[in-house]
Amino acid sequence: MDDQALSGGFADTPREAALAFRAALTAMARPGRIEAVAGARPPAPLSVAAGTLLLVLADPTTPVHLAGALDRPGLRDWLRFHTGAPLSDRAGAVFAVGRWADLLPLDAYSLGTPDYPDRSATLIVEMDALDATGARLTGPGIETSHGLSLPEIAAFRANRARFPLGLDFFLTAGERLAALPRSTHVEAV
Amino acid sequence: MTEAESRVEAPGADYNFAYLDEQTKRMIRRALLKALAVPGYQVPFASREMPMPYGWGTGGVQVSAAVLVPGDRLKVIDQGADDTTNAVSIRKFFQKTAGIAVTGHTGEATVIQTRHRIPEAPLTEGQILVYQVPIPEPLRFLEPRETETRRMHALEEYGLMHVKLYEDIARHGEIATAYAYPVQIEGRYVMDPSPIPKFDNPKLRMAAIQLFGAGREQRIYALPPYTEVVSLDFEDHPFVPGKAEGACALCGSETSYLDEVIVDDRGGRMFVCSDTDYCAGRRAAGHVGAEGAAAGEGRA
């Protein structure tokens, strides 16, 4: 384990985690709204936003799947040191993080059960950029409609069709994040 | 609120921010995110013992502790009032453990913890409303087994609830449920809005984020802003948000929810706004009710 794995955590965990969680909560409550977070300085190529989300939400009870290029020693060490989260395959993951192409196929993740739809995975999708344009989002948390740049449309529509089962998504780019819960209707514009 | 209480105490150096440890907050925060993703569904969470008894808002306090940030301005109401024991204690608790500011004014608050009321003033986008919930399961008094009610929610089997409302009509001529009136969320989950008066049900579709915490029952649920909330009813017996007839004796409001106050032992009574901040605001603006000479006294 090198020095990089030991640094890049929160300096003042209770307050920084509270502020970052408020941003994540607001994003999940208002799908498509882009929020800024800060605090984590994870090793490349993980974004600040994705790293901060993992510091806020992951712990020894939540297996994390590092997808594709993120599954590298430096990041594995950083995640384990700062959160204690066990690494996992797709099926066992509570959180999965990676680029869209690396996260696929989505049906490998836990969707929850009819009795416990909350026992589904949350995917953190690393993006090059986030814009309030692209797909048209409607549903709970949205007064009329929001725009959001999504990696694709069909997968999110299929996810919505399974409601109340389904995956929930955070989309991250740099220090910015947005959320797309399973309750959101997605349409191409 | 007294001057001593409104003074912000130094953050309690002996406590973690907002009392709970970080591991507990992470667990509650994960539950909150799933609750927002499935509006109206009750997410189980590992409720902790809090330094207050069950029934005094331990669920709401844990949710508040998980969402509070430095710089928040907290308002706590109990049946609409800012100055009851429960509300005062919870405000003091977070002043001491989180070092945050508190307020009695609805418009100034960023987080509002409530027991059994929604404030009269419309809430805005920047606000979070946290409910204290005693029994989160709307079907519990119809079916005592958790395994059964959970399966009923999974199968969207809500016929029993309609039978209950129908029996109300058969027996009383109208739906007699006056508080904790069941609602259906986005056409899917039937949810207990906590024991708010049914007068407040139309306000459940709002701009603020609504979070519900049941400490003893270990459940968290949520409504994102602008979520569709329908109070269950029948075509020939539509939902009616009722309230006491009359106007507030202090501020004259005819549109706010009223509490009945017995004033003597000969049956004398008066009606006053349940929302003390709303009433005080109206009186400060010059509105006077039938017995409103008291303007300027009390809380203000």
Side-chain angles (χ1 to χ4, degrees):
Chain A
M1 192 179 283
D2 57 18
D3 287 353
Q4 207 186 8
L6 308 182
S7 62
F10 288 135
D12 179 1
T13 301
R15 285 165 186 80
E16 286 183 275
L19 287 165
F21 174 71
R22 177 66 70 83
L25 180 86
T26 305
M28 191 59 87
R30 306 179 189 280
R33 194 77 67 90
I34 297 170
E35 300 282 329
V37 292
R41 286 166 286 107
L46 194 65
S47 68
V48 168
T52 302
L53 274 177
L54 288 170
L55 290 192
V56 171
L57 298 171
D59 62 28
T61 67
T62 60
V64 175
H65 175 65
L66 295 172
L70 294 183
D71 192 13
R72 60 174 67 191
L75 255 175
R76 285 198 291 262
D77 289 344
W78 184 83
L79 186 69
R80 275 195 292 236
F81 177 74
H82 289 284
T83 71
L87 297 172
S88 155
D89 59 5
R90 288 183 174 87
V94 171
F95 296 101
V97 55
R99 301 193 65 83
W100 182 248
D102 297 328
L103 286 167
L104 297 174
L106 295 187
D107 55 12
Y109 300 95
S110 169
L111 295 173
T113 66
D115 284 3
Y116 294 96
D118 56 301
R119 294 179 184 173
S120 68
T122 301
L123 271 53
I124 301 169
V125 187
E126 290 273 53
M127 311 269 289
D128 291 328
L130 275 178
D131 289 305
T133 57
R136 179 172 180 272
L137 312 184
T138 54
I142 304 170
E143 187 169 18
T144 50
S145 70
H146 276 169
L148 185 65
S149 52
L150 296 179
E152 70 164 275
I153 304 282
F156 296 106
R157 292 180 64 91
N159 188 52
R160 175 65 184 83
R162 291 196 182 101
F163 188 88
L165 304 188
L167 305 171
D168 305 306
F169 300 87
F170 280 105
L171 301 122
T172 52
E175 298 189 339
R176 305 192 328 146
L177 64 83
L180 193 71
R182 67 192 84 173
S183 60
T184 302
H185 295 271
V186 180
E187 295 166 272
V189 175
Chain B
M1 170 181 333
T2 64
E3 192 180 321
E5 194 201 344
S6 62
R7 190 182 63 233
V8 177
E9 298 173 26
D14 297 337
Y15 292 101
N16 191 31
F17 177 74
Y19 185 77
L20 292 174
D21 60 281
E22 291 305 299
Q23 178 93 359
T24 298
K25 281 193 248 176
R26 271 192 294 272
M27 174 270 296
I28 295 173
R29 286 166 176 166
R30 289 192 298 264
L32 284 168
L33 293 178
K34 288 298 178 192
L36 283 166
V38 191
Y41 164 74
Q42 302 161 47
V43 182
F45 82 110
S47 179
R48 299 296 196 245
E49 293 234 9
M50 299 300 286
M52 62 187 74
Y54 288 134
W56 287 76
T58 54
V61 164
Q62 289 178 78
V63 170
S64 291
V67 302
L68 281 174
V69 299
D72 262 332
R73 193 171 292 275
L74 178 71
K75 171 183 165 81
V76 184
I77 54 174
D78 176 357
Q79 304 265 17
D82 292 280
D83 48 8
T84 56
T85 306
N86 198 193
V88 171
S89 303
I90 291 171
R91 271 202 305 275
K92 278 191 165 170
F93 175 76
F94 282 118
Q95 274 181 296
K96 183 170 184 178
T97 61
I100 51 153
V102 296
T103 181
H105 297 298
T106 303
E108 291 176 2
T110 52
V111 176
I112 302 173
Q113 183 172 328
T114 176
R115 175 176 175 273
H116 309 357
R117 269 315 305 278
I118 297 175
E120 300 290 351
L123 300 188
T124 57
E125 290 225 338
Q127 295 179 305
I128 297 176
L129 185 58
V130 177
Y131 294 76
Q132 302 172 197
V133 182
I135 307 287
E137 177 51 74
L139 305 166
R140 181 60 68 234
F141 292 109
L142 306 171
E143 169 52 65
R145 288 166 295 181
E146 166 68 12
T147 47
E148 287 300 307
T149 52
R150 188 156 285 278
R151 181 54 51 87
M152 289 158 76
H153 283 292
L155 297 175
E156 215 175 331
E157 175 53 71
Y158 296 128
L160 208 53
M161 184 58 86
H162 280 102
V163 169
K164 188 230 175 212
L165 296 177
Y166 169 76
E167 284 182 345
D168 262 10
I169 294 169
R171 206 168 293 159
H172 307 289
E174 60 177 10
I175 297 175
T177 305
Y179 65 95
Y181 192 103
V183 293
Q184 190 162 28
I185 309 304
E186 293 277 330
R188 182 57 180 84
Y189 284 96
V190 165
M191 186 190 97
D192 183 337
S194 86
I196 58 173
K198 65 177 177 177
F199 172 84
D200 282 340
N201 273 24
K203 295 187 230 162
L204 285 164
R205 185 185 189 276
M206 65 163 70
I209 299 170
Q210 298 172 84
L211 308 173
F212 299 76
R216 182 191 55 217
E217 301 290 320
Q218 313 199 328
R219 295 291 183 274
I220 283 171
Y221 51 106
L223 293 176
Y226 312 114
T227 298
E228 180 193 296
V229 180
V230 175
S231 301
L232 296 180
D233 61 0
F234 299 99
E235 278 177 21
D236 52 345
H237 284 274
F239 171 76
V240 182
K243 76 184 236 333
E245 291 294 326
C248 172
L250 300 180
C251 79
S253 173
E254 296 177 355
T255 54
S256 73
Y257 189 73
L258 301 175
D259 283 340
E260 183 180 1
V261 181
I262 306 297
V263 292
D264 55 36
D265 55 5
R266 297 186 303 279
R269 58 184 190 167
M270 64 192 279
F271 288 100
V272 294
C273 290
S274 141
D275 186 334
T276 53
D277 175 52
Y278 174 81
C279 196
R282 276 179 55 87
R283 278 181 285 154
H287 296 277
V288 180
E291 299 173 48
E297 280 181 19
R299 262 172 31 89

